[in-house]
Amino acid sequence: MASKTTRGFQISGVPMVDPKNRWYLLHATGERPLAPMELGLTQAPLADGTFFPRDRGRLGSSQMALQLHVTDAGRGNGGRTQRDRNLADLYNALQVGRETTVSMMIAGQLCSQRCIVTAGSAAVEHSAGLLKVSLILTLLEGVWKAEPEEELVTGGTLATLSGCTGPARPMWSVKGPVAALEIRQGGQVVVSWGGSLPAGARLVIDGWKSWRVDGDAREWWAAPARAEVSTVQVSEAEPLLPNALGEYEFTARLDGSENLAGKLSAYVSATYL
């Protein structure tokens, strides 16, 4: 069998192994590529081509080639006419040339990222009813993310991320009263917030943004109206990185104490390079 039915490939929600057998992914498709470090520019004199530090670097886009067979299955009498219709249906469904989303199975989880699909090299005709085509995926985010999960932070690692390989950016939640939150990894501050939150309220930090949620909201991670979001009280917002064992270790302090007392939660996606 030439197709890879277990990889879960979907683009724009369209399976790359078509249930109607109009097209299917080939073994020639390679594994996911690693995103390169992105070159950053600065206005500092004599330093306009420096890289971001390796341990906190930004990941650039990368490309991945998909190899598929398009068949003449489906309605009609088959042959080249039906095969060409299937190819047109495939390109239309994948939104070729427009930004969309690609998904695949990684470590048993369905992960996705934004991408742009373009046609690759010229198609190769094996017969009137079979065509080999190439698609080029420009992967725009550098990491693959699974559906996020909520986790109560009770120690110095996030179990949701265990075994992952990519940088992770949790949404953090703290129950009041609290006046300061600091999270460190490897001696570097990755989250820092300072303000005033009373008892009965919840603080949510998402990157450089923070907001208050009153009461015990079940889906506290849902972003409020823009007017309720503050960027003033967050002074650090960096991703968590895995160690050599695939663990995301960190130290969290609330008001200067490491006693979290069930007050800190994370809403985070498993991420893979």
Side-chain angles (χ1 to χ4, degrees):
M1 179 111 181
S3 60
K4 287 191 171 184
T5 57
T6 60
R7 300 182 73 184
F9 251 109
Q10 296 184 22
I11 302 176
S12 301
V14 178
M16 292 296 92
V17 179
D18 180 50
K20 299 179 181 178
N21 201 36
R22 293 171 296 173
W23 53 77
Y24 53 89
L25 197 66
L26 299 175
H27 281 296
T29 292
E31 295 300 323
R32 63 189 191 272
L34 293 180
M37 295 291 292
E38 187 173 85
L39 179 66
L41 300 179
T42 176
Q43 298 299 317
L46 304 179
D48 61 348
T50 59
F51 283 97
F52 287 93
R54 182 181 178 88
D55 60 337
R56 297 287 163 187
R58 288 159 52 182
L59 297 173
S61 63
S62 58
Q63 289 190 328
M64 182 177 186
L66 300 187
Q67 304 288 332
L68 298 100
H69 271 168
V70 177
T71 75
D72 62 351
R75 289 177 290 181
N77 297 322
R80 184 175 286 108
T81 299
Q82 183 61 41
R83 185 204 67 192
D84 290 346
R85 287 173 179 165
N86 291 343
L87 179 62
D89 288 345
L90 174 64
Y91 283 169
N92 288 334
L94 300 187
Q95 303 183 54
V96 171
R98 298 164 59 186
E99 184 177 311
T100 184
T101 302
V102 57
S103 302
M104 69 177 296
M105 296 297 295
I106 302 175
Q109 301 185 77
L110 186 64
C111 300
S112 62
Q113 67 171 294
R114 293 180 300 113
C115 73
I116 295 177
V117 185
T118 54
S121 56
V124 178
E125 183 177 75
H126 292 307
S127 69
L130 186 63
L131 192 69
K132 182 179 180 181
V133 299
S134 299
L135 297 177
I136 302 298
L137 301 184
T138 300
L139 304 172
L140 300 177
E141 298 181 64
V143 294
W144 298 80
K145 296 181 180 181
E147 284 294 317
E149 298 181 36
E150 183 180 11
E151 179 176 337
L152 179 66
V153 178
T154 57
T157 61
L158 289 181
T160 301
L161 298 175
S162 180
C164 296
T165 58
R169 293 183 177 274
M171 292 177 64
W172 302 95
S173 165
V174 184
K175 295 181 179 179
V178 64
L181 168 66
E182 183 182 84
I183 297 176
R184 288 177 172 265
Q185 187 180 54
Q188 179 174 346
V189 178
V190 295
V191 176
S192 181
W193 176 91
S196 178
L197 189 76
R202 184 191 293 266
L203 164 72
V204 182
I205 301 175
D206 180 13
W208 292 103
K209 301 177 293 184
S210 66
W211 61 85
R212 170 177 168 172
V213 177
D214 292 315
D216 191 19
R218 294 185 62 182
E219 295 185 355
W220 50 262
W221 49 85
R226 186 175 301 179
E228 302 175 50
V229 175
S230 171
T231 59
V232 176
Q233 295 170 309
V234 180
S235 56
E236 289 291 343
E238 295 286 346
L240 291 176
L241 300 177
N243 60 20
L245 300 177
E247 298 173 336
Y248 290 71
E249 298 178 307
F250 58 89
T251 301
R253 287 187 171 86
L254 297 177
D255 297 334
S257 171
E258 294 186 23
N259 181 19
L260 304 181
K263 295 180 65 174
L264 181 63
S265 299
Y267 186 65
V268 61
S269 299
T271 60
Y272 300 89
L273 292 174

